[in-house]
Amino acid sequence: MKFGYILVTGAAGFIGSHLTDQLINSGICEKVIAVDNLSMGTWDNLSTLGSDKLIRVEANIANSEELSRIFDMYDVDIVCHLATSPLVLSITDPVFVFENIVTMQKNILECQRNGKFKKLITFSTSEVYGSSDGVVLSETSLLKPQTPYASAKAAADMLTESYAKTFTDKIEYTIVRPFNNYGPRKRVLSGAGIIPQAIKAFAAHEPLKLVDNGETMRDFVFVEDTARAVIEIIKKPELTKNELFVIATGVPRKMKDISIDIAKLMHRPINIEYVPSRPGDVSYLKGNGRKIHSKLGFSPDTEWLEGLKACIEYYTRLLP
Ligand SMILES: NC(=O)c1ccc[n+]([C@@H]2O[C@H](COP(=O)([O-])OP(=O)(O)OC[C@H]3O[C@@H](n4cnc5c(N)ncnc54)[C@H](O)[C@@H]3O)[C@@H](O)[C@H]2O)c1
């Protein structure tokens, strides 16, 4: 075992729960402190709930006192910060989402500045780029956020980078910037998550609603691959200090084609209804994951149809 205590924020959510499970199963650390306010996530997402390596803490990271209390109780080495409010909520409640995302980042960085832990691995999102209009996006691409969610995430990234430049001896970070994640445990909110929505619609013989004539394209990464990328980053602190890594497959897929793949795997007819776009919708995202591959030897390796099958198995089990 190489590391002591690793704290994961947003551990009851989609990606955070997969990361928590992998950290525990990999034996890379002594304990995982899983923190979440359960506003969106559920502890039931964790497959390692009974593990003696897991410490669960229900707390609001946007409350600086609640956060500080956790560090007073445990000697934490690394924080993996994944807690977020979702993009769709930023359309209806932009102020809350912006404040939640930016306040959490500020609180975590302040704890680090005050010496409460050593390394921060913090999650960004490909949404910070806005629509790329055919350009392949990498770590150096321009940020053009189109939603309050995306601008809050961009602000959080910049706050982290600025803290590291200002408090050089205190702040060590890695920014992880994943493209769209898919896989089991994603919450099915209205308007979010094409894959669970398609499975739900086709299972119920209802039409799947798609914007932009189904032409919207995204670069989909299987959630367990993203969690594995974080483990690789943790293992190699000297190669990842104050770096930003895009996590992407480099293969953009049209929503229409994804729906067809799902319908075929489910042996259901393709039933699509085209609807108007949401404000701020990003139409094209394709990432370049070469940097993390050349530095750490990491690439997402889950085969697309295998990933979809895992989703179908999981989401059909949840249906009434
Ligand atoms: N899902 C994707 O496709 C995707 C793509 C790129 C980047 N990301 C980023 O990855 C990270 C994880 O995303 P996700 O999809 O797992 O999100 P999620 O919504 O499934 O999980 C986020 C968790 O954070 C918790 N949370 C929210 N506010 C909190 C607060 N104030 N205090 C404590 N907990 C709080 C929620 O209860 C939830 O369990 C986020 O930073 C997100 O921006 C996600």
Side-chain angles (χ1 to χ4, degrees):
M1 192 185 308
K2 226 170 145 193
F3 300 94
Y5 282 30
I6 299 183
L7 186 152
V8 179
T9 75
F14 171 45
I15 306 178
S17 64
H18 284 280
L19 175 60
T20 301
D21 287 344
Q22 280 195 28
L23 285 169
I24 288 173
N25 292 331
S26 66
I28 193 174
C29 60
E30 216 174 308
K31 300 256 187 217
V32 177
I33 305 168
V35 183
D36 205 296
N37 69 353
L38 305 183
S39 57
M40 294 286 163
T42 161
W43 294 128
D44 291 340
N45 275 336
L46 291 164
S47 69
T48 46
L49 263 189
S51 168
D52 59 2
K53 285 189 174 174
L54 178 72
I55 300 169
R56 275 187 288 165
V57 181
E58 189 178 330
N60 177 9
I61 312 287
N63 180 320
S64 55
E65 283 163 19
E66 279 186 40
L67 181 63
S68 284
R69 268 202 295 275
I70 305 173
F71 290 110
D72 293 341
M73 282 168 68
Y74 305 105
D75 189 9
V76 174
D77 273 349
I78 300 170
V79 170
C80 299
H81 175 46
L82 290 86
T84 192
S85 295
L87 187 156
V88 280
L89 188 60
S90 83
I91 314 294
T92 52
D93 198 347
V95 174
F96 169 74
V97 169
F98 189 85
E99 285 180 355
N100 191 37
I101 290 174
V102 174
T103 308
M104 285 194 287
Q105 200 77 21
K106 177 263 292 172
N107 288 348
I108 287 170
L109 287 164
E110 273 298 289
C111 285
Q112 192 177 21
R113 186 170 76 85
N114 290 316
K116 307 235 183 214
F117 67 95
K118 296 183 196 83
K119 164 103 189 233
L120 171 63
I121 299 173
T122 186
F123 267 58
S124 177
T125 167
S126 55
E127 291 289 328
V128 295
Y129 295 121
S131 251
S132 67
D133 304 323
V135 176
V136 184
L137 298 160
S138 72
E139 291 78 4
T140 54
S141 301
L142 212 62
L143 307 192
K144 290 185 281 178
Q146 291 182 195
T147 53
Y149 164 82
S151 56
K153 296 291 293 184
D157 293 351
M158 288 180 185
L159 193 63
T160 303
E161 288 165 346
S162 70
Y163 259 64
K165 285 185 182 132
T166 313
F167 312 109
T168 41
D169 54 335
K170 294 284 185 193
I171 307 292
E172 180 181 338
Y173 75 88
T174 304
I175 296 177
V176 178
R177 186 170 288 161
F179 280 57
N180 279 67
N181 269 235
Y182 76 108
R185 307 181 190 171
K186 194 172 171 73
R187 223 171 339 95
V188 189
L189 277 178
S190 125
I194 165 82
I195 293 170
Q197 296 225 2
I199 295 166
K200 198 172 150 204
F202 296 150
H205 295 280
E206 284 169 1
L208 170 67
K209 293 189 171 122
L210 290 184
V211 299
D212 192 24
N213 283 325
E215 295 291 316
T216 302
M217 291 177 95
R218 287 285 191 284
D219 185 330
F220 277 92
V221 182
F222 193 63
V223 62
E224 291 177 12
D225 288 335
T226 300
R228 192 164 55 80
V230 177
I231 306 261
E232 292 308 312
I233 288 167
I234 291 171
K235 281 184 188 161
K236 296 176 184 131
E238 65 293 346
L239 294 178
T240 59
K241 183 178 173 185
N242 298 358
E243 296 282 352
L244 187 159
F245 293 104
V246 158
I247 315 286
T249 63
V251 182
R253 296 177 192 278
K254 280 188 189 174
M255 297 297 157
K256 196 162 51 183
D257 296 337
I258 294 171
S259 314
I260 293 169
D261 285 343
I262 293 172
K264 278 187 188 155
L265 286 171
M266 292 178 73
H267 307 291
R268 293 290 160 103
I270 298 148
N271 185 0
I272 297 174
E273 180 190 328
Y274 295 113
V275 295
S277 297
R278 287 179 313 199
D281 263 343
V282 167
S283 57
Y284 184 95
L285 279 176
K286 173 182 171 178
N288 170 347
R290 261 183 242 132
K291 179 176 170 186
I292 193 162
H293 181 69
S294 64
K295 271 212 158 198
L296 308 184
F298 168 86
S299 299
D301 62 5
T302 302
E303 209 268 315
W304 169 244
L305 292 180
E306 290 309 311
L308 279 189
K309 280 184 202 161
C311 292
I312 292 168
E313 197 196 316
Y314 176 83
Y315 291 106
T316 46
R317 257 194 285 129
L318 298 184
L319 293 171

